[in-house]
Structure formats: C-alpha cells, structure tokens
Amino acid sequence: MYNKSITLIEGELVKVLTAVKVRLYPTPEQELVLSRAFGCSRWYWNFALNACIQHYQQTGKSLKLAAYKGMLPQLKKEFLWLKEDCYSAVLQCVAINLNRAFTNFFQGRAKFPKFKSKHGKQSIQYPQNVVSKGNFLSVPKIGEIKAVFHRQLVGRIKTVTISKTPSGKYFASLLLCETESESRSCEGKIIGIDLGVKEFAIVHDGETVTKYANPKHLKRHEKNLARKQQKLARQTKGSKTRAKFRRIVAKVYEGVSNARQDLWHKLSRKLVNESQVIVVENLNVKGMVRNRKLSKAISDAGWGMFVNFLAYKLERKAGKLIEVDRFFPSSKMCSCCGYVMENLPLDVREWSCPSCGIHHDRDGNAALNIRNEGIRILTVGGGNPVSANGACVRPDSREVKGLRAVKLEAYTDPFRAV
C-alpha cells in the first residue's frame, strides 16, 4: 500500500490521497478480454508515439496532446477492434499518460518515452466507472473480477490501474478520493541513518546505535537464477516452452523484489513509529553504481526507494525528512571534536581521532554526524527542515548547488556537534 499525503496547515486537517494495491483473479474469459485491452492500449501508445516522432522530424515541433487525441475517432473507424475490445476512457488515459511522459522528458525528470512491447509488464488505466462490490471489482467491458481486499476501502474510487506482471499475476491499484485526518505534533525523537552495503542501515538516536543487517536478496538467489536463465537460453525463440521458462525466471525476480520491499516497509514503518524527524544523506546513487565492484550490491540495497518509503510514511504522520548534502564528511569527521580526516579508505571500519583520541566505529560515527548535521539544519533553518513531500525528497542537482556552497569550516566547528 502506497500513501501520499499533503499537509495544508500544521494542527489542522490533512488531505490524503491513498492508493491500495489488490490482487485480482480473473477467469480465463476475463483474461482474454484483458489481453485484448492491453493490446489496444499498447498499440495506440506506439501509434501516438510514432506520430509524435515523425511530426518532429518533419516540422521540428512537438505534437500537441489534442492532435493525437483527436485521431482516436478516425482510428476507431479504421480499426474496429479499438472500439470493440477496449473501453474508450482507457485510450484517453493513454494519450494523457504519453503527454505526461513527454513533459517529464522535457523537464529533465525522465528519459525519452519508449515503444511498448507485448513482453513484460502490461497495464491499463480506468479513470471512471470502476466499482467495488464485496470481493469483486466491477470493470467496464470486463465485468466483475474476483479480488482480495486486505483492508477496507475508505472513500470513493477515482482511478484504477490494472496490471499484469511478467510472471502472469494480475493486480489493481485503486486511487481513493481525498480523505481527511488530523495532523500530529512535530515534536519527537530525531534519528540519523547511515545507509551502507554491509549493514543496510545504521541508526543513531543520539545515545545508542542500532545496526540492521543487509539480507542481500539478489545474491541469495544468484545460483538459482543463473540455472533457470541457462534453461531459458536453450529454448527455441518463439516456442511455448520458452514462454514457460520466461515466466519461471520472472517469478524468481518477483520473489527477490517482494522480499526487498518487505524489508523496506517493515523497517521504514518501525523507524517512523519511533521518531518524528529522520535525517539521511542525499546519496549520488547513479554515480556510485559506476563502481564495478560495488554496483550490484548498491543496486540490490535500493537506498533511494527506501528513503522514498520513509518520506511518504513521515508525511502522513506530519513528520519531517531532512537530507544532508552528499559532500558532507560524515564518515571522516569526529563526532566529538569535529576533526576531519584527510583520507579514510572504505576498508577502514574503525579509527581513532588524532585530535581528541576518541575511538570510533566508522558507521556509528557517520550516523551520529548525520543526526547532528540534521539538528544544525533545523536550528539554522528556524525549525523548517526539508519536507518529505514531492521533489524535496530527491532535490535536483541544480538545487543541491546551494548546499555545496556551505564552507567546510562550518562542518569542522566543534560547537556544531549538538
């Protein structure tokens, strides 16, 4: 379950948009109808994307949303299956989503939109007329699909996205209408988190250090995955056996993803329940994965998504997420006197401060420094830390330049360590 909350005024009501993901069990007939709807949606996306590319090549200008959205009536006359096999509002959503993809591309938030394939994940979006009836989900042109609701739905259903995973499972993501809840006080415990590879998270609350091990989910399934991928590679392309082994490999990847998300949800929920302000580093994960020796381990850990999980959970309880500048010397600085080491290799896990002589555990010291720096940001900013809402969780590189301008002398000030 994913929740996104937007705080209006602290102490008053909070508007919350909630999305609930449920498992679907369609009948064989409904699977066939869904397959046709997936195909129509995919075909129109590729058609509209191709039209945009050709229009740009000929005129040098981008094609507007109204242009390829207006092509739908004529396309439905030429290709009758677009009208018969797919709900009309689904194709409208395809056009809107393609326009949003281009907007994200031009604003630097995403890559150029790609053509969709029948292999891999499939999805369609219903903006209206989807109703929950007991243990069933009533969908236009498909009927009532059996669903498993793990919690009661509160509010009116706004949009529903039905997806099929590469392993053959069906899910529905239901976006519920805005609900209201009372915000809580922003006074509480402040913790600092240092994310790592050996230990997934090192948490410091100012007094004690708690380390959470990294399960390394992908590494545990590497042998099993390699064996199944070898069997897949031996199959003839286009055969039913190859499609069967493709689903087998997809199930292994799905199990790894589910285990990883289970860790993120449980740990983030525990940390959010125990604190009101969480301080983390703004890590340059994209640059760190260029390290050939650690790229797989860093990608397997998924630090960025874990921070996102912390963000929306904190936002819902009116908590705060503070991100410390990635160039802040959290590992190399003594948390007692503020002395900064010139060089500290990764293989050095413990070190003693040359200035005050205090012996430090590398990760515990880093977590404490991150926490102290978060308190400094709170103090300097007048009690207004970085919000856990929207783009503030992962600020743009142009926005981070303002943080980089802070002189190193501010970090080495011994009175800074609160």
Side-chain angles (χ1 to χ4, degrees), residues 32-47 72-88 90-91 141:
L32 182 60
V33 177
L34 282 171
S35 178
R36 291 173 179 172
F38 290 144
C40 293
S41 174
R42 184 176 61 247
W43 183 88
Y44 177 57
W45 170 282
N46 293 339
F47 177 86
L72 273 174
Q74 183 61 31
L75 289 174
K76 289 181 180 180
K77 293 179 181 179
E78 296 181 10
F79 307 99
L80 296 178
W81 41 270
L82 275 178
K83 185 176 182 180
E84 297 173 355
D85 298 340
C86 190
Y87 186 51
S88 60
V90 170
L91 298 179
K141 285 201 173 185

Side-chain angles (χ1 to χ4, degrees), residues 341-355:
M341 298 282 289
E342 293 183 2
N343 187 24
L344 192 66
L346 285 175
D347 58 345
V348 178
R349 310 313 302 176
E350 296 182 0
W351 58 282
S352 298
C353 177
S355 177

Side-chain angles (χ1 to χ4, degrees), residues 101-119:
F102 273 113
T103 302
N104 292 335
F105 167 71
F106 288 123
Q107 294 183 0
R109 293 193 298 266
K111 296 182 179 180
F112 189 81
K114 295 182 179 180
F115 291 98
K116 292 189 176 181
S117 170
K118 65 179 180 180
H119 303 293

Side-chain angles (χ1 to χ4, degrees), residues 251-269:
K251 285 183 179 180
V252 179
Y253 277 113
E254 186 177 349
V256 173
S257 177
N258 291 341
R260 190 183 290 120
Q261 290 193 37
D262 182 69
L263 170 68
W264 293 340
H265 275 297
K266 289 180 178 178
L267 182 55
S268 61
R269 173 51 59 196

Side-chain angles (χ1 to χ4, degrees), residues 107-368:
Q107 294 183 0
R109 293 193 298 266
K111 296 182 179 180
F112 189 81
K114 295 182 179 180
F115 291 98
K116 292 189 176 181
S117 170
K118 65 179 180 180
H119 303 293
K121 184 179 180 180
Q122 308 292 321
S123 65
I124 52 177
Q125 187 176 3
Y126 291 84
Q128 58 190 8
N129 297 335
V130 178
V131 183
S132 173
K133 297 181 179 179
N135 293 329
F136 293 88
L137 199 65
S138 180
V139 183
K141 285 201 173 185
I142 299 177
E144 295 184 353
I145 306 176
K146 185 180 179 181
V148 176
F149 296 95
H150 56 283
R151 64 186 65 193
Q152 185 179 2
L153 301 181
V154 180
R156 180 177 57 87
I157 298 176
K158 297 185 66 174
T159 62
V160 175
T161 302
I162 298 179
S163 59
K164 179 185 178 182
T165 64
S167 61
K169 297 179 181 178
Y170 292 85
F171 294 92
S173 180
L174 291 77
L175 182 65
L176 304 179
C177 68
E178 296 179 353
T179 58
E180 295 182 345
S181 60
E182 294 185 0
S183 60
R184 303 179 186 177
S185 172
C186 287
E187 297 180 0
K189 185 186 294 185
I190 302 177
I191 63 173
I193 302 178
D194 179 47
L195 300 172
V197 174
K198 185 176 180 181
E199 281 84 18
F200 177 72
I202 299 89
V203 181
H204 206 300
D205 61 359
E207 297 179 356
T208 59
V209 182
T210 306
K211 296 185 178 182
Y212 297 91
N214 184 8
K216 300 180 180 179
H217 303 286
L218 183 60
K219 187 175 182 180
R220 291 191 299 167
H221 292 81
E222 275 185 339
K223 291 184 178 179
N224 181 30
L225 185 60
R227 182 171 61 253
K228 288 179 169 57
Q229 285 177 329
Q230 287 176 355
K231 293 181 180 180
L232 171 64
R234 296 190 186 106
Q235 309 306 320
T236 306
K237 291 186 178 181
S239 64
K240 292 184 178 180
T241 310
R242 185 178 179 86
K244 173 185 175 182
F245 276 95
R246 187 193 298 271
R247 288 192 296 269
I248 292 175
V249 172
K251 285 183 179 180
V252 179
Y253 277 113
E254 186 177 349
V256 173
S257 177
N258 291 341
R260 190 183 290 120
Q261 290 193 37
D262 182 69
L263 170 68
W264 293 340
H265 275 297
K266 289 180 178 178
L267 182 55
S268 61
R269 173 51 59 196
K270 181 178 185 297
L271 296 177
V272 169
N273 288 344
E274 294 175 352
S275 60
Q276 192 66 28
V277 178
I278 295 180
V279 190
V280 296
E281 280 185 298
N282 182 275
L283 298 174
N284 182 19
V285 180
K286 186 176 180 180
M288 295 172 70
V289 294
R290 294 175 183 172
N291 187 327
R292 293 184 298 173
K293 296 183 179 180
L294 296 176
S295 59
K296 184 183 291 187
I298 293 173
S299 300
D300 188 20
W303 298 326
M305 188 60 68
F306 174 69
V307 173
N308 289 339
F309 280 28
L310 288 172
Y312 82 78
K313 288 181 172 66
L314 281 169
E315 187 70 22
R316 191 173 189 189
K317 66 172 288 188
K320 300 294 180 182
L321 178 73
I322 302 176
E323 289 200 329
V324 175
D325 183 24
R326 64 186 60 172
F327 295 102
F328 174 68
S330 59
S331 299
K332 297 190 294 183
M333 184 170 64
C334 176
S335 58
C336 295
C337 65
Y339 178 85
V340 180
M341 298 282 289
E342 293 183 2
N343 187 24
L344 192 66
L346 285 175
D347 58 345
V348 178
R349 310 313 302 176
E350 296 182 0
W351 58 282
S352 298
C353 177
S355 177
C356 62
I358 299 296
H359 188 73
H360 294 291
D361 173 73
R362 181 192 182 105
D363 298 328
N365 177 69
L368 180 56

